[in-house]
Short mmCIF file of all heavy atoms in Angstrom, two decimals:
data_model
loop_
_atom_site.label_atom_id
_atom_site.label_comp_id
_atom_site.label_asym_id
_atom_site.label_seq_id
_atom_site.Cartn_x
_atom_site.Cartn_y
_atom_site.Cartn_z
N MET A 117 -2.88 20.58 1.82
CA MET A 117 -2.23 19.21 1.80
C MET A 117 -2.44 18.54 3.20
O MET A 117 -2.75 17.34 3.19
CB MET A 117 -0.76 19.36 1.51
CG MET A 117 -0.09 18.09 1.63
SD MET A 117 1.72 18.40 1.35
CE MET A 117 2.33 16.78 1.33
N LEU A 118 -2.12 19.26 4.22
CA LEU A 118 -2.12 18.70 5.54
C LEU A 118 -3.58 18.25 5.93
O LEU A 118 -3.84 17.11 6.42
CB LEU A 118 -1.72 19.71 6.57
CG LEU A 118 -1.66 19.33 8.01
CD1 LEU A 118 -0.80 18.02 8.14
CD2 LEU A 118 -1.17 20.33 8.91
N LYS A 119 -4.59 19.00 5.54
CA LYS A 119 -5.94 18.63 5.70
C LYS A 119 -6.30 17.31 5.03
O LYS A 119 -6.88 16.41 5.54
CB LYS A 119 -6.91 19.79 5.30
CG LYS A 119 -8.34 19.57 5.60
CD LYS A 119 -9.09 20.72 5.14
CE LYS A 119 -10.57 20.51 5.41
NZ LYS A 119 -11.30 21.70 4.79
N SER A 124 -7.45 11.69 4.85
CA SER A 124 -7.33 10.39 4.13
C SER A 124 -6.73 9.33 5.08
O SER A 124 -6.89 8.16 4.89
CB SER A 124 -6.38 10.50 2.88
OG SER A 124 -5.17 10.92 3.29
N ILE A 128 -11.05 12.14 10.95
CA ILE A 128 -12.26 12.63 10.47
C ILE A 128 -13.13 12.98 11.65
O ILE A 128 -13.17 12.22 12.71
CB ILE A 128 -12.91 11.72 9.65
CG1 ILE A 128 -12.18 11.46 8.34
CG2 ILE A 128 -14.36 12.23 9.28
CD1 ILE A 128 -12.53 10.34 7.50
N PRO A 129 -13.81 14.14 11.64
CA PRO A 129 -14.66 14.53 12.69
C PRO A 129 -15.66 13.53 13.07
O PRO A 129 -16.22 12.85 12.21
CB PRO A 129 -15.42 15.75 12.14
CG PRO A 129 -14.46 16.38 11.27
CD PRO A 129 -13.73 15.30 10.64
N PRO A 140 10.11 9.16 22.94
CA PRO A 140 10.99 9.34 24.05
C PRO A 140 11.49 10.79 24.30
O PRO A 140 11.63 11.14 25.49
CB PRO A 140 12.23 8.56 23.66
CG PRO A 140 11.78 7.51 22.68
CD PRO A 140 10.65 8.12 21.99
N LEU A 141 11.42 11.60 23.30
CA LEU A 141 11.85 12.96 23.51
C LEU A 141 10.49 13.85 23.48
O LEU A 141 10.61 15.06 23.06
CB LEU A 141 12.81 13.48 22.36
CG LEU A 141 14.10 12.77 22.45
CD1 LEU A 141 15.03 13.12 21.21
CD2 LEU A 141 14.94 12.95 23.66
N ASP A 143 8.16 14.51 21.50
CA ASP A 143 7.72 14.77 20.21
C ASP A 143 8.22 13.90 19.21
O ASP A 143 9.44 13.74 19.22
CB ASP A 143 7.92 16.34 19.90
CG ASP A 143 7.15 16.84 18.74
OD1 ASP A 143 6.23 16.17 18.30
OD2 ASP A 143 7.51 17.94 18.26
N LYS A 148 -3.93 6.25 18.02
CA LYS A 148 -4.70 5.17 17.43
C LYS A 148 -6.03 5.67 16.84
O LYS A 148 -6.80 6.33 17.57
CB LYS A 148 -4.93 4.08 18.34
CG LYS A 148 -5.48 2.83 17.65
CD LYS A 148 -5.28 1.52 18.59
CE LYS A 148 -6.57 1.37 19.43
NZ LYS A 148 -6.44 0.09 20.15
N ASN A 151 -8.29 1.92 14.39
CA ASN A 151 -7.51 0.73 14.67
C ASN A 151 -6.07 0.72 13.94
O ASN A 151 -5.60 -0.31 13.68
CB ASN A 151 -8.23 -0.49 14.25
CG ASN A 151 -8.18 -1.57 15.37
OD1 ASN A 151 -7.53 -1.34 16.37
ND2 ASN A 151 -8.69 -2.76 15.04
N CYS A 152 -5.73 1.90 13.53
CA CYS A 152 -4.33 2.12 12.97
C CYS A 152 -3.47 2.87 13.86
O CYS A 152 -4.03 3.82 14.58
CB CYS A 152 -4.45 2.88 11.59
SG CYS A 152 -5.11 1.81 10.25
N LEU A 153 -2.16 2.59 13.80
CA LEU A 153 -1.25 3.37 14.72
C LEU A 153 -0.70 4.45 13.85
O LEU A 153 -0.09 4.19 12.67
CB LEU A 153 -0.21 2.45 15.19
CG LEU A 153 -0.69 1.19 15.94
CD1 LEU A 153 0.62 0.33 16.26
CD2 LEU A 153 -1.38 1.64 17.18
N THR A 155 1.74 8.11 13.72
CA THR A 155 2.64 8.97 14.51
C THR A 155 2.45 10.40 13.79
O THR A 155 2.42 10.50 12.58
CB THR A 155 4.05 8.63 14.58
OG1 THR A 155 4.86 9.75 14.94
CG2 THR A 155 4.59 8.01 13.28
N ARG A 157 3.51 14.81 14.48
CA ARG A 157 4.09 15.81 15.28
C ARG A 157 3.16 16.59 16.13
O ARG A 157 2.05 16.83 15.65
CB ARG A 157 4.99 16.65 14.45
CG ARG A 157 6.26 16.08 13.94
CD ARG A 157 7.09 17.08 13.13
NE ARG A 157 8.21 16.39 12.55
CZ ARG A 157 8.94 16.88 11.46
NH1 ARG A 157 8.39 17.90 10.82
NH2 ARG A 157 9.91 16.15 11.01
N GLU A 160 1.37 19.40 14.28
CA GLU A 160 0.21 19.07 13.54
C GLU A 160 -0.88 18.63 14.40
O GLU A 160 -2.05 18.80 14.05
CB GLU A 160 0.67 18.08 12.48
CG GLU A 160 1.33 18.72 11.30
CD GLU A 160 2.79 18.28 11.17
OE1 GLU A 160 3.15 17.20 11.62
OE2 GLU A 160 3.55 19.09 10.71
N SER B 273 -5.14 8.36 -0.55
CA SER B 273 -6.34 9.02 -1.25
C SER B 273 -5.93 9.38 -2.60
O SER B 273 -4.86 9.20 -3.11
CB SER B 273 -6.81 10.04 -0.35
OG SER B 273 -7.78 10.78 -0.94
N ARG B 307 -9.87 1.03 6.34
CA ARG B 307 -9.19 2.28 5.78
C ARG B 307 -8.90 2.11 4.39
O ARG B 307 -8.90 3.02 3.59
CB ARG B 307 -7.96 2.54 6.67
CG ARG B 307 -7.66 3.94 6.48
CD ARG B 307 -6.17 4.28 6.94
NE ARG B 307 -5.36 3.32 6.35
CZ ARG B 307 -4.22 2.95 6.81
NH1 ARG B 307 -3.77 3.54 7.91
NH2 ARG B 307 -3.44 2.09 6.14
N ASP B 448 -18.38 21.54 5.80
CA ASP B 448 -17.05 21.69 5.05
C ASP B 448 -16.97 20.50 4.03
O ASP B 448 -17.21 19.32 4.39
CB ASP B 448 -15.98 21.53 6.08
CG ASP B 448 -14.59 21.69 5.56
OD1 ASP B 448 -14.07 20.63 4.89
OD2 ASP B 448 -13.99 22.73 5.60
N GLN B 451 -14.18 17.62 4.58
CA GLN B 451 -14.49 16.88 5.77
C GLN B 451 -15.62 15.97 5.45
O GLN B 451 -15.81 14.83 5.97
CB GLN B 451 -14.60 17.75 6.90
CG GLN B 451 -13.40 18.37 7.40
CD GLN B 451 -13.45 19.00 8.80
OE1 GLN B 451 -14.40 18.88 9.46
NE2 GLN B 451 -12.51 19.88 9.03
N TYR B 458 -15.87 7.35 4.75
CA TYR B 458 -15.52 6.52 5.95
C TYR B 458 -16.80 5.81 6.38
O TYR B 458 -16.73 4.56 6.77
CB TYR B 458 -14.88 7.28 6.98
CG TYR B 458 -13.28 7.06 6.97
CD1 TYR B 458 -12.48 7.97 6.46
CD2 TYR B 458 -12.80 5.86 7.48
CE1 TYR B 458 -11.09 7.75 6.42
CE2 TYR B 458 -11.44 5.58 7.48
CZ TYR B 458 -10.61 6.56 6.93
OH TYR B 458 -9.24 6.27 6.91
N ASN B 475 -9.71 -5.86 19.81
CA ASN B 475 -8.61 -4.98 19.63
C ASN B 475 -7.62 -5.35 18.52
O ASN B 475 -7.61 -6.35 17.97
CB ASN B 475 -7.78 -4.85 20.90
CG ASN B 475 -7.56 -3.42 21.25
OD1 ASN B 475 -7.31 -2.58 20.38
ND2 ASN B 475 -7.60 -3.03 22.46
N LEU B 476 -6.80 -4.40 18.17
CA LEU B 476 -5.84 -4.56 17.24
C LEU B 476 -4.72 -5.46 17.70
O LEU B 476 -4.65 -5.66 18.96
CB LEU B 476 -5.24 -3.27 16.74
CG LEU B 476 -3.82 -2.77 16.73
CD1 LEU B 476 -3.50 -2.32 15.35
CD2 LEU B 476 -3.56 -1.65 17.75
N PHE B 587 10.08 7.70 14.40
CA PHE B 587 9.26 8.20 15.54
C PHE B 587 10.07 8.64 16.76
O PHE B 587 10.13 9.53 17.29
CB PHE B 587 8.30 7.07 15.87
CG PHE B 587 7.52 7.37 17.11
CD1 PHE B 587 6.45 8.30 17.18
CD2 PHE B 587 7.79 6.50 18.29
CE1 PHE B 587 5.75 8.38 18.26
CE2 PHE B 587 7.05 6.77 19.51
CZ PHE B 587 6.04 7.76 19.45
N ASP B 590 12.87 11.66 15.54
CA ASP B 590 12.41 12.80 14.69
C ASP B 590 12.86 14.19 15.35
O ASP B 590 13.24 15.07 14.70
CB ASP B 590 11.02 12.81 14.45
CG ASP B 590 10.56 13.94 13.60
OD1 ASP B 590 10.98 14.12 12.37
OD2 ASP B 590 9.73 14.73 14.08
N ARG B 591 12.56 14.23 16.58
CA ARG B 591 12.86 15.50 17.36
C ARG B 591 14.24 16.03 17.30
O ARG B 591 14.46 17.19 16.96
CB ARG B 591 12.45 15.31 18.85
CG ARG B 591 12.66 16.61 19.53
CD ARG B 591 11.60 16.84 20.47
NE ARG B 591 11.65 18.27 21.01
CZ ARG B 591 11.26 18.56 22.18
NH1 ARG B 591 10.94 17.61 23.02
NH2 ARG B 591 11.27 19.85 22.53
N ARG B 594 14.87 16.96 13.46
CA ARG B 594 14.10 18.07 12.92
C ARG B 594 14.81 19.38 13.28
O ARG B 594 14.66 20.36 12.48
CB ARG B 594 12.72 18.04 13.52
CG ARG B 594 11.76 18.87 12.83
CD ARG B 594 10.45 18.90 13.32
NE ARG B 594 10.22 18.21 14.46
CZ ARG B 594 9.31 18.49 15.45
NH1 ARG B 594 8.53 19.59 15.20
NH2 ARG B 594 9.10 17.84 16.55
N PRO B 698 4.12 17.23 5.90
CA PRO B 698 3.71 17.03 7.28
C PRO B 698 4.13 15.70 7.72
O PRO B 698 4.34 14.78 6.97
CB PRO B 698 2.24 17.01 7.25
CG PRO B 698 1.80 16.80 5.82
CD PRO B 698 2.93 17.33 4.93
N ILE B 700 3.22 12.81 9.19
CA ILE B 700 2.17 11.98 9.69
C ILE B 700 2.45 10.55 9.05
O ILE B 700 2.42 10.45 7.83
CB ILE B 700 0.76 12.41 9.24
CG1 ILE B 700 0.66 13.82 9.70
CG2 ILE B 700 -0.33 11.56 9.77
CD1 ILE B 700 -0.66 14.50 9.09
N MET B 701 2.76 9.61 9.86
CA MET B 701 3.14 8.36 9.30
C MET B 701 2.41 7.17 9.98
O MET B 701 2.17 7.30 11.14
CB MET B 701 4.67 8.17 9.52
CG MET B 701 5.50 8.27 8.35
SD MET B 701 7.20 7.83 8.65
CE MET B 701 7.38 8.24 10.28
N LEU B 703 2.37 3.60 11.62
CA LEU B 703 3.36 2.64 12.22
C LEU B 703 2.65 1.35 11.92
O LEU B 703 1.71 0.97 12.67
CB LEU B 703 3.53 2.94 13.73
CG LEU B 703 4.05 4.22 14.08
CD1 LEU B 703 4.24 4.36 15.69
CD2 LEU B 703 5.42 4.54 13.42
N TRP B 1019 5.05 22.19 9.97
CA TRP B 1019 4.61 22.29 8.59
C TRP B 1019 3.68 23.35 8.43
O TRP B 1019 2.82 23.57 9.29
CB TRP B 1019 3.96 20.89 8.16
CG TRP B 1019 3.85 20.81 6.65
CD1 TRP B 1019 4.78 20.65 5.88
CD2 TRP B 1019 2.62 21.09 5.99
NE1 TRP B 1019 4.31 20.74 4.52
CE2 TRP B 1019 2.92 20.99 4.65
CE3 TRP B 1019 1.34 21.51 6.36
CZ2 TRP B 1019 2.00 21.11 3.67
CZ3 TRP B 1019 0.34 21.64 5.40
CH2 TRP B 1019 0.77 21.52 4.00
#
Side-chain angles (χ1 to χ4, degrees):
Chain A
M117 174 187 189
L118 183 54
K119 184 180 181 184
S124 62
I128 293 163
L141 299 171
D143 192 12
K148 190 160 91 174
N151 228 3
C152 287
L153 305 174
T155 162
R157 279 183 189 155
E160 278 111 33
Chain B
S273 171
R307 205 199 47 206
D448 179 281
Q451 289 189 18
Y458 258 101
N475 225 325
L476 127 124
F587 173 72
D590 180 61
R591 181 139 192 214
R594 196 178 7 149
I700 304 172
M701 249 187 333
L703 300 181
W1019 194 75

